Amino acid sequence: MRAHRTLALIGALTVAVLTAGCSEPSAEAGHGDTGGKGDAETAMQRATRALNSVEPESAAREDAGTASLSAGLDGTFAARGDRPYTFDIACQAAAEPHTVVLTLARGAAESEWEVECGDREADQFNIPAGAPFTATVEPAKPGVDGLVLWRLNTVAPEDVVDCADDITGCES
């Protein structure tokens, strides 16, 4: 079994609905509604810091994006060339604690990973070069507001830690 780097973003945090609506401040935050924009910007900054914290020096960004938890994530990604990839993901949710399930798939192989929202560092998954792969996070239940940030990087082979293929998995 591989020792997966689970990387935390933040503790309690208020996050605005990214697509529409107003934010609901966390009771733990201790402050009132700021209209949502400030909360969304803060969540984005913290998630970005979490992604940056796991990015090796050899990383070359191939793709990146943001999705609201209410919309989920459903992407197909190219994994061309000879260098391995990392798929890094971080999430923020107004209702903490909250987790999402990331499904990585390529061909008939599929794996599911639990990603905790509010962690200080992003979760990082190793993907070998080859055929395109998909990454999916199902939309959150109504009333769960937040965001998912992700990055796809190529990395030097020596920066691949633990299992080289988090889609098919590795035996220990």
Side-chain angles (χ1 to χ4, degrees):
M1 179 145 189
R2 102 181 186 76
H4 179 68
R5 282 196 268 177
T6 302
L7 308 171
L9 288 171
I10 58 169
L13 175 200
T14 56
V15 179
V17 177
L18 295 177
T19 55
C22 298
S23 68
E24 291 184 30
S26 167
E28 297 173 343
H31 53 75
D33 187 356
T34 60
K37 185 175 180 182
D39 291 338
E41 288 174 4
T42 299
M44 182 75 72
Q45 290 169 353
R46 289 179 176 170
T48 299
R49 280 194 302 268
L51 289 171
N52 291 342
S53 72
V54 299
E55 193 170 71
E57 287 185 31
S58 70
R61 189 156 318 140
E62 297 291 320
D63 203 354
T66 304
S68 69
L69 284 177
S70 62
L73 170 66
D74 187 11
T76 300
F77 304 94
R80 300 181 199 98
D82 298 326
R83 290 177 57 150
Y85 288 76
T86 62
F87 186 81
D88 307 337
I89 185 168
C91 71
Q92 300 285 337
E96 303 234 17
H98 184 75
T99 59
V100 297
V101 175
L102 169 68
T103 303
L104 298 171
R106 177 185 271 162
E110 183 177 290
S111 62
E112 289 187 346
W113 301 91
E114 190 171 272
V115 175
E116 182 146 354
C117 296
D119 284 347
R120 293 183 190 267
E121 296 178 333
D123 287 314
Q124 187 172 69
F125 302 93
N126 297 316
I127 312 290
F133 70 95
T134 61
T136 307
V137 172
E138 292 297 320
K141 296 176 184 175
V144 177
D145 300 328
L147 58 91
V148 173
L149 267 71
W150 57 267
R151 287 183 186 162
L152 179 65
N153 296 314
T154 57
V155 296
E158 60 269 16
D159 284 331
V160 174
V161 178
D162 300 321
C163 183
D165 187 345
D166 283 324
I167 296 173
T168 61
C170 296
E171 298 291 325
S172 26

